[in-house]
Structures are given as structure tokens and as C-alpha cells.
Amino acid sequence: MTKVAVLGAGSWGTALSIVLADNQHEVRLWTHRTEQAKKINQTRRNDQYLDAVIPEAITAYSDLKQAIAGVTAVVFVVPTKAIREVARQVDPLISPETTIIHASKGIEPVTLKRVSQMIGEELTAFKEEEIVVLSGPSHAEEVALRQPTTVTVSSVDPDCAKLTQDLFINESFRVYTSPDVLGIELGGALKNIIALGAGISDGLGYGDNAKAALMTRGLAEIARLGTSLGANPLSFLGLPGVGDLIVTCTSVHSRNWRAGNLLGKGNKLEDVLEQMGMVVEGVRTVKAAYQFAKEQQVEMPITEGIYQVLFEEKQPKDVVGQLMSRNKRQEMDDLAQLLMERYSQ
């Protein structure tokens, strides 16, 4: 039995805690809200976030020091906007021998840092290369029901990736490994932007043709930006790339799809976020990706269009017209050029 602390008692943190408990680990599920911790321990439920029975092997804590005392691994599953704050609180409390894992998907606006970079900057005893990323097509609702799910874990340090794979893998939760941390993190973060777009498309009443085009061209945007930054282009064809893109763009479980759907139906962004009641990572990531594209001089017209809808109050139908009337071009010319530049160096 391994002691594991899961930081963040939302739907995904709760679902991952259930996976770990199923694997006979002792799980400490941390929340910053005392009442939530008490309710989980008393009722074995976390109904605000997930409709599932919480196994007895999971104990909820609101005291961070108690939650991480003596653990072998710490899993960060808090929203990206809280990553730095929580990591700073963890820093003086954690042993250098602990394995650090994160399952959060996003990019920090302004700094354009990925989650592993943020954690690496805040934890003084750990290098960014030691941090493990867990990502893939994995709705918390289905994971909690033990429905078949596959994810990828990635770290520059193969031993850390293997340890994480061993912690989580079981008969309903299959875990692969990858060395491409950059590609895995970017795929998991950027697909949320395209899921917002898919929701907007559905909210506008468009059909399968429009969604298929959006997802395919959205994947091209993700691959363009990721490849320009040094990611392996094949990573975007894997579970944290096209796999996560499919599940997030096509399911009502997806917060980003639901938020986009409300936007497509004419709701204002602030009203949508209030109605959702949970963090919609894609909204924050749009800002970062829009800035990234400008700095890297990478064309991301879908991302730019969604940025205009969210932050410049442009009408979704006008953005669709903008995208459909772009100049004629070959489908793969820009990505092919990036690949040639990458592999000719």
C-alpha cells in the first residue's frame, strides 16, 4: 500500500482518488474547504462534483500539512490558476523523495508557462524534469464508474513515469507512458479551446459536418503550435492529442463543450461561467494560446475567432463567416513546412 495525496477535490481529483483507492493505496484527498472535507468523510459522497460513492480508503483533509505527511506521491489536480499558490504551500512541507504528478490542463496567461513549469518553479527541491504529467481522454464521470479509460503519463525522468504508471494502472484504467512532456501538456491544454468551439457550433445549430471540420482544423492548429515549440508531432495523434480532442468536443460531460454551447445560444461569457459553477479551463487557455500564436508567428484562426467571441464580444456567426471566407490554400502546407524545418536542423 502506497500513501498518495490528491490535491483538489473537484470531479477529476475525486475520480483519480477512486482509481488509486481501487488499487489498494491509502488516499488523502485535500480540499481547501473544511465543510467539503467533513461531508466527504461523513457521507462518502462529493455530490457537488461527482455522483459516485467514495471508497473507505479515501480520507478527505482540509489541512494540507496533514494531507501530505508521509506520502510517497502527490497529485496536483487543482485549477491551473491555483497551481502556484498550492505549490507554494506544499513546498516547505514535502519530502524531496516524493513523486510529483499533475493532472491539470492549462497554460498560464502572460508567462505562457505549462503546469509542470509552474510547479517546477515553486517547488524548490524538485526539477521540472522530475514532474509527471497525466493526461488523456478521461471524463471523471466515466472513470468513477470504472468504465474503460486510457491515459498517458509523461516525464523526462522515465523512472518517475514508470512509478506513476504503476500507481494508476488497473483493469479499467489503462496507462501508457511517453517522454514528450511538452506535447502531452500542450495537447491536453489546447484541446479545451477547440471544445469551446465545438460547443459554440452545436449551440448555433450546426451539424456534424461543421463539428468534424472544426475538430480536424483545430487539431492542425494544436499541432502547428506544438511543433513550433519543439513537441513531437506524433504526440498529437495519441491519447492526449486527438483522443482527448474527440472526447472533449463530443460529450455533454465536457465543461468546455457545455460552456461553448451556451455561448453559441447567445449567452454572455460572465453569465455562462456563473451558470457552470465550475472552472472552465478553456476560457483561460484561449488567452494564453492567442498570445502564444502571436509570439511564435503561428496561424491559429480558430483560436483567434474564439478569442474574439470571448473577449471582444464578436458574434459567433460572424466568426464562422470569417473562418469560411479565408483565402484558398492547401490543407497541409503550413504543417509540412514546420516539420521540414524541425527535422532539417
Side-chain angles (χ1 to χ4, degrees):
M1 179 182 289
T2 299
K3 295 180 181 178
V4 184
V6 177
L7 309 184
S11 57
W12 189 215
T14 304
L16 288 177
S17 296
I18 291 172
V19 174
L20 291 165
D22 286 349
N23 290 351
Q24 308 304 311
H25 301 306
E26 179 187 320
V27 185
R28 285 97 174 273
L29 179 59
W30 175 79
T31 169
H32 66 91
R33 299 201 300 270
T34 302
E35 286 305 313
Q36 185 186 17
K38 287 181 179 177
K39 184 176 180 181
I40 289 171
N41 291 332
Q42 290 171 359
T43 69
R44 313 313 303 169
R45 308 285 300 187
N46 191 14
D47 289 334
Q48 181 181 351
Y49 295 99
L50 196 64
D51 183 15
V53 175
I54 296 178
E56 293 293 334
I58 299 172
T59 303
Y61 291 82
S62 58
D63 185 307
L64 188 58
K65 185 176 182 179
Q66 290 180 358
I68 65 176
V71 299
T72 300
V74 170
V75 188
F76 284 80
V77 205
V78 296
T80 54
K81 66 180 181 180
I83 286 288
R84 287 190 185 276
E85 179 185 351
V86 173
R88 289 187 197 112
Q89 294 177 40
V90 167
D91 188 41
L93 306 174
I94 199 167
S95 163
E97 288 76 38
T98 308
T99 299
I100 303 297
I101 305 158
H102 87 76
S104 301
K105 300 175 181 179
I107 301 170
E108 188 175 41
V110 183
T111 70
L112 304 182
K113 300 284 187 177
R114 292 173 282 111
V115 176
S116 63
Q117 293 174 306
M118 289 188 271
I119 295 174
E121 288 177 354
E122 302 298 339
L123 297 184
T124 54
F126 296 87
K127 299 177 181 177
E128 178 191 331
E129 293 76 13
E130 299 170 311
I131 296 166
V132 184
V133 182
L134 186 153
S135 187
S138 48
H139 286 313
E141 295 84 355
E142 296 180 9
V143 171
L145 293 174
R146 283 80 169 179
Q147 293 184 0
T149 300
T150 53
V151 299
T152 299
V153 294
S154 180
S155 176
V156 176
D157 186 327
D159 292 334
C160 292
K162 179 64 168 58
L163 188 150
T164 304
Q165 182 183 42
D166 291 341
L167 275 178
F168 282 97
I169 194 167
N170 62 35
E171 61 184 13
S172 62
F173 197 79
R174 182 164 177 78
V175 184
Y176 292 88
T177 60
S178 167
D180 185 20
V181 176
L182 175 61
I184 301 309
E185 283 192 290
L186 287 176
L190 297 174
K191 55 87 185 178
N192 284 331
I193 299 172
I194 310 306
L196 281 169
I200 291 172
S201 178
D202 288 334
L204 288 168
Y206 296 148
D208 295 338
N209 292 354
K211 186 183 287 188
L214 182 77
M215 291 170 63
T216 306
R217 297 310 301 162
L219 182 62
E221 288 192 13
I222 292 170
R224 274 201 297 271
L225 181 60
T227 303
S228 77
L229 292 166
N232 184 338
L234 292 178
S235 293
F236 303 112
L237 298 179
L239 292 167
V242 69
D244 211 357
L245 184 69
I246 290 169
V247 79
T248 313
C249 288
T250 62
S251 174
V252 294
H253 290 316
S254 166
R255 298 179 201 173
N256 293 282
W257 179 90
R258 297 203 309 271
N261 189 253
L262 290 170
L263 289 166
K265 290 178 177 176
N267 293 275
K268 298 290 186 183
L269 177 60
E270 56 269 25
D271 296 330
V272 169
L273 296 179
E274 183 178 351
Q275 185 173 335
M276 292 292 297
M278 291 186 284
V279 173
V280 181
E281 288 285 7
V283 173
R284 181 179 165 93
T285 306
V286 167
K287 284 187 177 180
Y290 180 77
Q291 184 183 346
F292 240 147
K294 298 295 184 187
E295 291 193 6
Q296 291 295 117
Q297 297 184 326
V298 171
E299 238 189 321
M300 298 184 73
I302 296 173
T303 299
E304 182 175 352
I306 295 171
Y307 180 91
Q308 292 169 342
V309 171
L310 295 180
F311 305 113
E312 296 178 356
E313 297 188 352
K314 193 159 187 175
Q315 292 301 309
K317 279 195 174 182
D318 293 338
V319 169
V320 173
Q322 175 180 298
L323 291 170
M324 293 298 290
S325 60
R326 295 175 69 237
N327 291 337
K328 294 181 291 185
R329 59 189 305 166
Q330 291 186 8
E331 185 178 11
M332 295 295 180
D333 55 355
D334 48 0
L335 185 55
Q337 181 64 34
L338 281 168
L339 290 173
M340 284 193 293
E341 290 173 359
R342 174 188 170 94
Y343 292 111
S344 64
Q345 294 173 355

